[in-house]
Amino acid sequence: MKTYMSRDGNVAVEVVIGIVAVVGVVLGIAAIKSVNQKCEELNTRLNDVSTSVASIQQLESDVRQTRNSVALLGQDIQVIKDQLAKKPEPVAVKGGTAVGDKKDGASEAATGPGTFLTIKERDTLGKVAKQYKTSVDAIEKLNPGINPSKLKLGAKIRVK
C-alpha cells in the first residue's frame, strides 16, 4: 500500500482536518434544514393566527351590528309601549259628550272590525257618506249618539 505524505510529512492531521470539515458541512446542512423546518412551522402558525384574527374581527363587526339592531328594536318597542299606554281619543262628540262615554267619566273607544275615518276640517257626514258610498243614516247607526252638526276635529268615526 502506498502512503502519501504531506509537505511536512503529517498525513494524519490533514485527514482529520478533512473529516472535521466534512462533519462541519454535514452539521451545517442539518442546521439549515432544521431552521427551514422551524420557519415553515412558524409561517403555518402565523397564517393560522392571521385567519383567527380575521374571524375575530368579523365576529366583532357582527356583534356591533347585532347591538345596533337590538337598540333599534328596543326603541321600536318603547314607541309601541308609549302608544299602547295612551288613552284612546273619543270617537265623536254630541253635545259636549264623547260617543261611548259613560256617565261615571270612563270612556269606550270604537273598536272592532270596520273602516274608520278621522274627522278633518270641513268634513260632514254627507261628504263622508258619499266618499265611502254609504248613507248618513248608516254612519249614524255605526256611531250611536253622534251629532252630525257637531263633529269634533280629530275624532274617529266608523264609516263601514
Side-chain angles (χ1 to χ4, degrees):
M1 180 178 219
K2 206 173 191 187
T3 306
Y4 294 96
M5 299 283 273
S6 67
R7 286 186 206 154
D8 60 1
N10 198 348
V11 173
V13 172
E14 289 182 8
V15 169
V16 170
I17 290 174
I19 291 172
V20 168
V22 169
V23 168
V25 168
V26 169
L27 289 175
I29 290 171
I32 290 172
K33 284 185 177 183
S34 176
V35 167
N36 282 340
Q37 183 180 2
K38 293 293 181 185
C39 285
E40 287 177 15
E41 289 175 13
L42 288 174
N43 279 336
T44 300
R45 288 183 182 176
L46 182 60
N47 287 338
D48 292 346
V49 168
S50 296
T51 301
S52 296
V53 167
S55 295
I56 290 169
Q57 289 172 337
Q58 181 61 47
L59 285 172
E60 286 176 341
S61 174
D62 292 347
V63 166
R64 268 195 249 66
Q65 288 177 347
T66 302
R67 281 183 184 160
N68 290 341
S69 297
V70 168
L72 291 173
L73 185 60
Q75 291 172 355
D76 290 345
I77 289 171
Q78 188 58 48
V79 166
I80 292 169
K81 279 182 174 179
D82 292 345
Q83 289 173 345
L84 290 173
K86 288 181 183 176
K87 183 179 176 184
E89 293 186 25
V91 175
V93 174
K94 177 181 179 180
T97 304
V99 172
D101 273 1
K102 297 179 181 176
K103 303 250 187 235
D104 62 3
S107 69
E108 297 177 38
T111 59
T115 303
F116 293 86
L117 167 85
T118 302
I119 300 296
K120 294 178 277 199
E121 195 171 86
R122 295 192 180 120
D123 274 348
T124 65
L125 286 188
K127 285 182 184 179
V128 171
K130 185 175 181 180
Q131 179 183 352
Y132 286 90
K133 297 179 181 157
T134 187
S135 67
V136 172
D137 288 338
I139 293 174
E140 287 177 335
K141 285 179 185 175
L142 291 171
N143 299 279
I146 191 170
N147 184 342
S149 63
K150 292 187 179 180
L151 296 178
K152 181 180 176 186
L153 289 179
K156 292 186 188 279
I157 63 168
R158 186 169 175 189
V159 292
K160 285 193 177 194

